[in-house]
Amino acid sequence: MCRHLGWLGEPVSIASLVLDPPSGLRVQSYAPRRQKHGLMNADGWGAGFFDLGGQERRWRSASPLWGDVSFASVAPVLRSGCVVAAVRSATVGMPLEASASAPFSDGSWLLSHNGVVDRGVLPVSRTAESTVDSAMLAALIFERGLDHLADTVVEVGSADPSARLNILAANGSRLLATTWGDTLSVLRRDDGVVVASEPYDDHPDWQDIPDRHLVDVSAGQVSLTPLKGSS
Ligand code: GLN
């Protein structure tokens, strides 16, 4: 089970979101606090963001985030108002390669999947970036369109009842997330909104999102909707 983090707000440095917080993704790569599946996230990482000109950028790796001194050197000067980052704990049998690390992209959206899904219930896609379940799921979500994220998650969840489908996606002006089997928290800051698998610090404003919900963030507003089929 991986951990992911999204940011939508004023431009801030990637390091301030991912590397600097006391329990940020860097620390979660070896000591997550709320992870239910897997002990650490050492199988890769990815940081995707929209630069100040609106261009999508990605930096992904199959190595542990905690040891990446090149990223640590550059991340303080990478600034963005829209970020999707993740650290990966590969599901047994899945490929270990940079292209299997989130975020995945269709050119407009960056997408991370925290969970597992039976690849047999997903259509074969020629556009998936890797054979990892998350890339195949991302390809399906991209094909259906992010406006239909909730329906796609419910449909895949009914096809594979043991699937865990926490999705996080952003396109520069909107951030979407689902809870389906794992943890998610939201922090509203004065300068923007953080959506993360687990809080990166102990600030009292972190709000835990109940299971089987859709979180939709845009223009500083956060809305929460139960997913169909939730109990
Ligand atoms: N199933 C995905 C993978 O193998 C995601 C795993 C996870 O959430 N830990 O990479």
Side-chain angles (χ1 to χ4, degrees), residues 1-78:
M1 189 61 56
C2 312
R3 305 276 83 184
H4 52 210
L5 171 140
W7 168 254
L8 189 62
E10 299 296 320
V12 296
S13 80
I14 308 291
S16 73
L17 295 170
V18 170
L19 301 179
D20 302 341
S23 294
L25 286 181
R26 187 183 67 82
V27 173
Q28 289 171 35
S29 69
Y30 59 86
R33 296 191 291 178
R34 295 194 179 177
Q35 193 153 337
K36 297 180 192 165
H37 305 271
L39 293 175
M40 52 168 67
N41 299 286
D43 299 318
W45 60 272
F49 58 97
F50 294 85
D51 70 20
L52 301 184
Q55 175 74 38
E56 181 204 289
R57 309 279 177 183
R58 281 191 293 168
W59 186 341
R60 296 184 292 166
S61 164
S63 300
L65 178 58
W66 72 73
D68 199 317
V69 292
S70 298
F71 181 66
S73 164
V74 175
V77 298
L78 299 176

Side-chain angles (χ1 to χ4, degrees), residues 1-220:
M1 189 61 56
C2 312
R3 305 276 83 184
H4 52 210
L5 171 140
W7 168 254
L8 189 62
E10 299 296 320
V12 296
S13 80
I14 308 291
S16 73
L17 295 170
V18 170
L19 301 179
D20 302 341
S23 294
L25 286 181
R26 187 183 67 82
V27 173
Q28 289 171 35
S29 69
Y30 59 86
R33 296 191 291 178
R34 295 194 179 177
Q35 193 153 337
K36 297 180 192 165
H37 305 271
L39 293 175
M40 52 168 67
N41 299 286
D43 299 318
W45 60 272
F49 58 97
F50 294 85
D51 70 20
L52 301 184
Q55 175 74 38
E56 181 204 289
R57 309 279 177 183
R58 281 191 293 168
W59 186 341
R60 296 184 292 166
S61 164
S63 300
L65 178 58
W66 72 73
D68 199 317
V69 292
S70 298
F71 181 66
S73 164
V74 175
V77 298
L78 299 176
R79 295 179 66 78
S80 173
C82 183
V83 178
V84 175
V87 289
R88 179 177 181 220
S89 167
T91 300
V92 175
M94 298 295 165
L96 290 170
E97 54 195 17
S99 58
S101 292
F104 306 99
S105 168
D106 68 348
S108 303
W109 287 86
L110 295 166
L111 187 148
S112 172
H113 167 224
N114 164 206
V116 62
V117 58
D118 176 358
R119 288 177 286 186
V121 307
L122 300 174
V124 176
S125 163
R126 274 171 291 137
T127 55
E129 294 179 49
S130 160
T131 56
V132 68
D133 58 351
S134 304
M136 292 177 59
L137 177 62
L140 176 67
I141 293 169
F142 291 147
E143 192 189 306
R144 295 280 172 85
L146 270 292
D147 283 340
H148 303 289
L149 175 63
D151 290 341
T152 308
V153 164
V154 170
E155 180 191 319
V156 173
S158 1
D160 175 8
S162 55
R164 297 191 301 274
L165 302 167
N166 278 37
I167 302 293
L168 176 64
N171 70 350
S173 59
R174 193 173 174 203
L175 188 63
L176 297 171
T178 59
T179 50
W180 192 282
D182 212 297
T183 56
L184 192 76
S185 300
V186 170
L187 177 67
R188 292 169 173 86
R189 298 185 352 190
D190 290 342
D191 56 348
V193 177
V194 184
V195 178
S197 300
E198 55 184 62
Y200 61 49
D201 63 16
D202 291 329
H203 197 288
D205 287 351
W206 283 99
Q207 177 195 353
D208 294 340
I209 306 300
D211 199 32
R212 300 201 172 191
H213 276 70
L214 175 75
V215 182
D216 192 339
V217 184
S218 61

